[in-house]
Amino acid sequence: MMQVYVRDSQAEANDLAAHLVVEAVRSGARVLGLATGQTMIGVYAALVAQVRADRIATERWTTFNLDEYVGIGPDHPGSFHHFMTTHLFRPLGLGPQQSHLLNGLAPDLEAECNRFERLVMASPPDVQILGIGQNGHIGFNEPGTPWDSGTHRVTLTAATIAQNAPDFPGSMPREALTMGIGTILMARAIIVVATGAAKAPAVYRAVREEPSLEVPASALRLHPDVRYVLDTAAAERLFSDPRWDRAASVVEID
Ligand code: GLP
């Protein structure tokens, strides 16, 4: 089952996403799947604030990140590892033994993907946080990726490079390692956060159109526990659907 939450502003959406993670932790979640991207900056700021305010213990958390660029390491300011250190690990004091990321500098990238896949399969996330690309990608699973895919190496599409390049210090890597769609679907619960008008078409396709390989996020329709957290801009196309109850704070979709 899928639930779609719409909030009036990006800040409120971020707060709700953080709240849902904290609630999951309060109910026993210890393994968190994490995403990167501009959307996550506000989500992690809200999460750090709530964890601190509620004095939530993080010592027993284990985290897995979705993806990493090939050819750069944790110290590179464009790496997802660096992003996580800045926005979540350092503020919450999460140590390297708690936080698992793919190593984009591994000498054997296929072996690195297999190592990571085994690690995730041994204790899949209780909650996986996801963003969504404008082309509907999740992690770096681009359109056409099989839904049973495990962790693998990808060549980024021109669209994704164009989308991420403005945030990347220096020249953008052309390849990445990513959890597969099959890996992502192993999480017990999934929270997708999308804010801003640029995400409205991808959100509509993922939530309302027939699931298709062309929209990787539509694979989430196979999962029994998915929540979308949106601001009104990202939900705009959903609102244009006459079946949509705009006044509802949460809409359930079978
Ligand atoms: C990147 C990441 C995705 C993320 C997406 C959206 O490509 N690999 O995990 O969901 O971008 O990013 P943003 O939040 O910056 O729009």
Side-chain angles (χ1 to χ4, degrees):
M1 214 244 308
M2 209 162 73
Q3 293 181 311
V4 182
Y5 295 80
V6 182
R7 292 294 177 267
D8 287 338
S9 66
Q10 182 176 18
E12 287 170 75
N14 291 340
D15 282 343
L16 175 60
H19 172 75
L20 294 176
V21 173
V22 166
E23 283 298 295
V25 168
R26 282 215 177 92
S27 315
R30 293 291 174 269
V31 185
L32 305 184
L34 303 173
T36 48
Q38 292 302 303
T39 312
M40 293 302 141
I41 295 176
V43 173
Y44 292 149
L47 183 58
V48 169
Q50 289 183 35
V51 164
R52 285 183 180 154
D54 296 353
R55 298 177 190 277
I56 304 281
T58 59
E59 290 80 14
R60 294 179 53 219
W61 288 14
T62 299
T63 69
F64 290 104
N65 261 83
L66 283 170
D67 46 13
E68 181 59 284
Y69 290 114
V70 165
I72 58 175
D75 297 331
H76 190 292
S79 72
F80 289 157
H81 201 145
H82 188 270
F83 176 101
M84 292 309 303
T85 302
T86 306
H87 296 290
L88 198 70
F89 298 162
R90 195 183 298 132
L92 289 186
L94 297 182
Q97 69 293 342
Q98 290 175 271
S99 310
H100 303 287
L101 286 97
L102 284 149
N103 175 9
L105 289 177
D108 181 342
L109 293 171
E110 197 176 325
E112 173 60 7
C113 289
N114 293 337
R115 175 194 73 84
F116 194 80
E117 179 75 9
R118 277 196 301 273
L119 216 53
V120 179
M121 288 302 121
S123 52
D126 297 307
V127 187
Q128 172 71 54
I129 305 172
L130 292 179
I132 183 170
Q134 290 175 28
N135 63 0
H137 73 224
I138 48 176
F140 271 133
N141 293 283
E142 299 285 16
T145 307
W147 288 1
D148 61 357
S149 48
T151 302
H152 63 287
R153 179 178 184 171
V154 290
T155 301
L156 301 175
T157 61
T160 295
I161 291 171
Q163 191 187 312
N164 290 8
D167 306 320
F168 196 92
S171 113
M172 266 277 296
R174 292 318 196 234
E175 289 186 293
L177 307 179
T178 183
M179 281 192 202
I181 295 179
T183 326
I184 292 170
L185 291 174
M186 289 296 291
R188 275 216 319 220
I190 295 176
I191 299 170
V192 187
V193 189
T195 49
K199 300 296 173 68
V203 166
Y204 183 83
R205 295 184 73 190
V207 171
R208 268 312 196 199
E209 287 183 356
E210 279 301 305
S212 110
L213 278 189
E214 281 314 297
V215 184
S218 69
L220 303 175
R221 304 271 282 277
L222 302 181
H223 193 281
D225 184 353
V226 175
R227 280 168 288 179
Y228 275 81
V229 178
L230 311 172
D231 66 357
T232 41
E236 202 50 49
R237 289 282 293 275
L238 296 174
F239 290 157
S240 70
D241 183 333
R243 294 169 295 176
W244 199 264
D245 179 2
R246 195 177 171 143
S249 67
V250 54
V251 171
E252 297 197 347
I253 299 175
D254 285 325

